[in-house]
Amino acid sequence: MRIIPPTHRTTFWLVVFLLAEAALLGLAQESQAAEKYNRLAVLHGVYESSGNKNCHHDEFDIALKDLGWEAKKFASTKNDMDALMVALERNQYDIALVCPLFNYGENPIDMSVYGARFRKFVENGGALIVSDALYPGCLKWLTSIDPSLKITIQSCKAARDIENTHPVHPLRFLPNLVREGNTWGHLVLPAGHRWDTLARCSEGAPQVVMKRIGKGFVYICGPRIAGSVFLENFRTQLEMQRMGLSAEQFELPRFAIGDGRIAITLKTLDGVPKAEGRATLTLRASNGREKPVEFSQNFVVTPAQPLKLEVPYTISLRGEILITFALSGSGRNVRIFEKKITIPDLLTLSGPAYRGFAVESELRKKGGKILSTVEIAPLRENLEKMEFEIVAKSSSGQTIGTPAKGKVSSARFRQPLQIGVPPSGTYRIEGTLRENGRVLAKKTAELIVLRDAECQVYINEEKNLVVDGKEFFPIGIYHISPDDILKAAEIGFNTVQMFSWFGEQSLTEPAKYDMRVIYEQNHRSGDDWVGEKAVELAKKHSNILMWYGMDEPTEQTREKAKAIHEVYHKYDKRHPTFVVSYTPTLFPEQVDLGDVFAVDPYPYPRRPINMVSEWMEKAWNATKGEKPVICVPQSFGKESPEALRAMAYQAVVHEARGIIWYPWDDGGTTGLKHHPNLHPVMKTLVHEIKTLSPALLNKDGRVAFKSPNDGIHGLFCQEQSGKRYLILVNPQTTDETLELNSLEALQNAKELRGVFGTASANPKGSITLKSYQTCVFEIR
């Protein structure tokens, strides 16, 4: 254990624990897992509009469930607020969470009468959190707590995600780095204010502010917050502030088997007395069965300068464990981080990538073969000495097909397994890992064989959508009403995204033109009614392509997005789920929120349009090739025809499994609908992609590439008939040249015949593309 020693002393006795233990609650008697945290008060409104409740009383339910915390809810009524004041004065709550639209509507109560009591709550160490704070009525009562809490609202034209200020405040990184998207308004602070601005919009205006009052703080956030990452940060900040400490840095690794390191840099808050004391840093590991292992060392802490503590550790436990990182001092305890996580077993086994499903027609097409994913996470074991065996069995234990055996060549691989075409039903895949004949690990995975009628839309191993037994490349548009479906059909779209609030016309109108629908229900959580409605709709409408999950989930909405995805899986085997992400840093964490992963880069005209290529590459890396990636390019209406084409062709050459433009109509003059000058451009573009789709869906001969200077991006692809294409796009603002004779796939080519966008070219020469130019050749 490496300790960075300080030069002075402080009153804070610090004990840092890293506790890993089995998460099965009754298992570990010596467990130090926390009791349910129930010192949260949730303040919500009672506003109703046209019979729909918009009180957001369930705003934090999924996050609280995820954390294992509890909360008491208080409505914006006089009786509930009076009861809350009594509870605050009795010190029953540490955090008051104010939901969106709190005390909003025609008959709000006078919150100013509670200002002095709220102030006392904060001064004594409470936290007041206001989310979605872009409605003046939700903020004006704060001045009754303190006149300096005055904030007004202004409309915002921010085009990018909000950004944390520097240095980053610990509320934004301890223990979780938090990020939000942009929103429609920002905060305006009065002259001479003493708010700390924690994050700003791309216009530079405050979006998140915080103010310390006594031992507590007030936190105002323009975007909505609802996720567990925020709740953990609020609790940690509050407890550390009560202790008189803050943090300048926190490095929390992605926990895995083996060695790792946690680093935290601490400092004392302004105004906290500085005295002396000795501290102990302790690493503790427990699995609830064996004697815990501890590593401790004493050291001296200084308040005169920030202190960096490093905690090296080794995780040797597997399965679901609890990681706890805690700080103790001055008679107080801060649980900085506590999370149940899953450390992979030595052997992890799974069946076909799409939900473990194997559809009979696909099995026949593949000669009875499926792919099983094998992952090995060694601690001290040697991969080179390992051998594997995989076999499929019926529920009665009878072997089906032929077992697969061999030496392990890598920590993760896709292993073909011959199972034939067994009757529909549930089977299992058994995997065994050996070293010199000794069994190291065994694992099983579920395999579900479905009749074609049971799985109308399927994702095959090539990551293509299969609709009614045929591979399908969706080419579609967002935000369209039933009244405009004919116009979309005339352009050539084969897919539309539709909202449930149009009723069943969202499905019946597209069906008239043989259009598939990505169907979005009006929901905010994973309630069973979402799945029940999905089953009802699927029985009546055969043109449903996918279920739209939560749109553009963020860290704070991850739990809800996951719940929606899972409830669709619970009720419907016939269709996959669809999720769109707009935050590349979160792609690895968000790929499990849908069966199909989509990204929506909107660069034009403010950013380089090769952002489309960058996001597509990051998306495929995040999925590890296990899920289809679809691109959602922009079609706001002010794009140049060349940019519109270049963005779409970037998606094509980066192997998108579909393109769904955004939007047809987003109100005002935004959307393709309002710019008829682009309709012929889009019609031609859609026709070209449809023509190429048989080759784009064929994995044989498909190779994506970029020129050495990243100037031109390209794709080789071919139809099953053998017809070969070379697709090129220049996403740069300068002319770019590609040496065709450097491309190995063209070594035997005699001619490049222009198909779309250019004339023929010499495969032994070079080609220069103008800015944003696209072209398609047939290789002969």
Side-chain angles (χ1 to χ4, degrees), residues 649-666:
Y649 266 101
Q650 284 182 80
V652 168
V653 300
H654 287 277
E655 304 183 75
R657 297 302 195 268
I659 299 178
I660 316 292
W661 278 273
Y662 181 90
W664 174 260
D665 181 9
D666 213 26

Side-chain angles (χ1 to χ4, degrees), residues 25-85:
L25 297 179
L27 187 62
Q29 294 300 317
E30 83 282 4
S31 168
Q32 295 186 8
E35 73 287 350
K36 283 188 175 181
Y37 186 67
N38 57 3
R39 294 182 58 83
L40 284 85
V42 174
L43 285 60
H44 63 85
V46 293
Y47 170 61
E48 294 189 17
S49 174
S50 301
N52 295 318
K53 289 189 175 182
N54 294 291
C55 53
H56 294 271
H57 65 284
D58 59 351
E59 189 77 4
F60 299 97
D61 285 3
I62 294 178
L64 292 169
K65 181 179 179 181
D66 181 63
L67 291 169
W69 297 2
E70 294 180 347
K72 173 72 173 177
K73 297 180 180 180
F74 296 87
S76 55
T77 63
K78 183 179 184 306
N79 288 342
D80 271 20
M81 287 300 104
D82 288 345
L84 173 63
M85 293 305 108

Side-chain angles (χ1 to χ4, degrees), residues 479-500:
H479 284 201
I480 189 167
S481 71
D483 294 341
D484 285 341
I485 291 296
L486 173 59
K487 296 176 183 177
E490 290 172 346
I491 288 176
F493 296 119
N494 61 20
T495 301
V496 286
Q497 173 266 344
M498 299 294 290
F499 291 111
S500 60

Side-chain angles (χ1 to χ4, degrees), residues 426-501:
T426 301
Y427 300 84
R428 70 175 183 270
I429 301 172
E430 297 181 354
T432 305
L433 197 62
R434 294 185 174 89
E435 181 182 279
N436 298 325
R438 179 173 64 92
V439 174
L440 297 178
K442 288 190 173 185
K443 208 70 176 178
T444 63
E446 188 176 67
L447 168 65
I448 300 174
V449 177
L450 298 170
R451 298 188 304 274
D452 287 80
E454 295 177 289
C455 193
Q456 180 185 339
V457 182
Y458 175 67
I459 300 170
N460 64 18
E461 292 293 352
E462 286 73 46
K463 309 303 167 291
N464 295 331
L465 289 168
V466 179
V467 179
D468 295 332
K470 296 180 180 179
E471 290 183 320
F472 180 74
F473 193 96
I475 306 171
I477 192 82
Y478 262 81
H479 284 201
I480 189 167
S481 71
D483 294 341
D484 285 341
I485 291 296
L486 173 59
K487 296 176 183 177
E490 290 172 346
I491 288 176
F493 296 119
N494 61 20
T495 301
V496 286
Q497 173 266 344
M498 299 294 290
F499 291 111
S500 60
W501 53 73

